[in-house]
Amino acid sequence: SPRHFLSIADLSSGELVALVTAAQRAKHAIKGGNSVPSNLLESLSGKTVALMFSKRSTRTRISTEGAVVYMGGHPMFLGKDDIQLGVNESLYDTSKVISSMTSCIVARVGPHKDIVDLAETSSVPVINALSDAFHPMQAIADMLTITEAQGSKDLAGLKVAWVGDANNVLYDLALACSKLGINISAATPAGYDVDPAIWKLAQDSCQETGASIETVHEPELAVKGANFIVTDTWVSMGQEEEKLKRLKDFAGFQITNELATRGGANRDWKFLHCLPRKPEEVSDDVFYSPRSLVFNEAENRLYAAIAALEAFVVDEGNILV
Ligand code: CP
Ligand code: NVA
């Protein structure tokens, strides 16, 4: 059965570094000469990649469709009105049928179990384009963005502070940091605690790399000494009905220059956000400041998608470390 990419937890530290390096290589090639590295040119020629999205998307859709085209393949976007995962047809039947005619399924789903079930049946690699538990291609782009900001591949010893919701983006970010030796501190409001089973995966990786990992309820504690402060929306897709309660519960969690100063963030701290952004989680004077790497981070999604397709489709999961 093919190797799937459902979470950063599926990668060894070496494989994660290889993916970030491949993304960086693709970026240099494309920015320099408008083409992917020579080994990837036409690497998906004659191949179809199904993009099954049961939720809306700007960055993930554009980056993945674009990546397939750069590699000479054909992206086939299937939105929730084209096929309804598990509504008109079971996930099992859908996965059987789509994988019999394509070379890869990139899927954005609700419950993570949906993508696990898809992968179990699929005869081609399944890549997670976001589930309620994980967002691995985002984490690759974030590690590339941090690598570029540092000007070095050795990220061990840096500190990433998360201030916000305990969600899909946090989990793969924490897993990526833990595998690269980056210390992580996550501040979430009381009652919005991290999933202990997922957090344990990151804690186990930290044991191997020597990185520290903690959860707190006070944003000031998380940002202390942080090189990067990161957040995401407080209201993820599917949580719209909880919006009013969440806005109340997350009071005091907005990322501002004042919070960073009060908490004692590193003088040169930088800001990351996967986007889309709402003003409540980060002030304009941070979001649109030179500290903010968000638009480069968004662009890096293209190179992360190329690296993921290279690793799991072209190289069939044999990632050279
Ligand atoms: N960051 C991200 O995944 O954005 P989209 O939801 O627009 O794809
Ligand atoms: N946590 C957000 C991420 C969107 C890219 C969501 O799941 O909606």
Side-chain angles (χ1 to χ4, degrees), residues 9 22 30 41 67 82 125 133 136 154 174 195 214 252 295 298 311:
I30 287 171
L41 267 181
D82 301 312
D154 186 11
D195 179 312
E214 65 170 5
F295 296 113

Side-chain angles (χ1 to χ4, degrees), residues 159 162-164 184-190 192-194 199 213-223 253:
K159 177 174 178 183
W162 176 273
V163 177
I184 180 145
S185 179
T188 63
Y192 295 86
D193 294 317
V194 296
W199 208 247
I213 183 164
E214 65 170 5
T215 55
V216 295
H217 290 310
E218 300 80 10
E220 296 80 3
L221 294 181
V223 302
F253 276 69

Side-chain angles (χ1 to χ4, degrees), residues 115-284:
I115 202 160
V116 172
D117 288 352
L118 267 179
E120 239 168 51
T121 314
S122 173
S123 55
V124 297
V126 172
I127 296 178
N128 186 358
L130 181 127
S131 66
D132 66 0
F134 297 109
H135 199 5
M137 287 197 287
Q138 182 68 53
I140 306 249
D142 292 353
M143 292 305 113
L144 173 57
T145 310
I146 290 178
T147 303
E148 290 172 332
Q150 285 307 114
S152 145
K153 270 186 206 161
D154 186 11
L155 309 183
L158 291 172
K159 177 174 178 183
V160 164
W162 176 273
V163 177
D165 194 15
N167 69 11
N168 41 15
V169 173
L170 167 63
Y171 294 140
D172 265 334
L173 176 72
L175 280 160
C177 288
S178 68
K179 285 175 192 286
L180 299 185
I182 301 174
N183 303 314
I184 180 145
S185 179
T188 63
Y192 295 86
D193 294 317
V194 296
D195 179 312
I198 298 177
W199 208 247
K200 167 97 173 41
L201 297 174
Q203 286 168 323
D204 289 348
S205 291
C206 281
Q207 294 245 306
E208 284 168 29
T209 59
S212 68
I213 183 164
E214 65 170 5
T215 55
V216 295
H217 290 310
E218 300 80 10
E220 296 80 3
L221 294 181
V223 302
K224 192 173 165 42
N227 305 93
F228 295 88
I229 303 181
V230 193
T231 195
D232 181 15
T233 181
W234 295 343
V235 187
S236 282
M237 289 180 275
Q239 298 173 333
E240 290 79 4
E241 282 178 8
E242 299 169 31
K243 181 171 177 184
L244 285 182
K245 178 173 163 39
R246 283 176 166 266
L247 291 188
K248 236 190 280 162
D249 292 345
F250 282 74
F253 276 69
Q254 190 192 45
I255 295 172
T256 59
N257 283 312
E258 195 271 325
L259 167 66
T261 305
R262 183 159 34 94
N266 187 290
R267 205 165 44 93
D268 297 325
W269 69 276
K270 297 285 188 287
F271 176 72
L272 295 181
H273 190 310
C274 64
L275 311 184
R277 168 254 182 173
K278 301 283 184 309
E280 58 262 17
E281 67 258 9
V282 52
S283 64
D284 274 359

Side-chain angles (χ1 to χ4, degrees), residues 53 56-61 108 129-130 135 138 237 274-276 301:
F53 279 46
R56 62 184 180 268
S57 167
T58 299
R59 281 141 290 268
T60 309
R61 175 181 180 174
R108 173 166 282 201
L130 181 127
H135 199 5
Q138 182 68 53
M237 289 180 275
C274 64
L275 311 184
R301 292 294 308 274

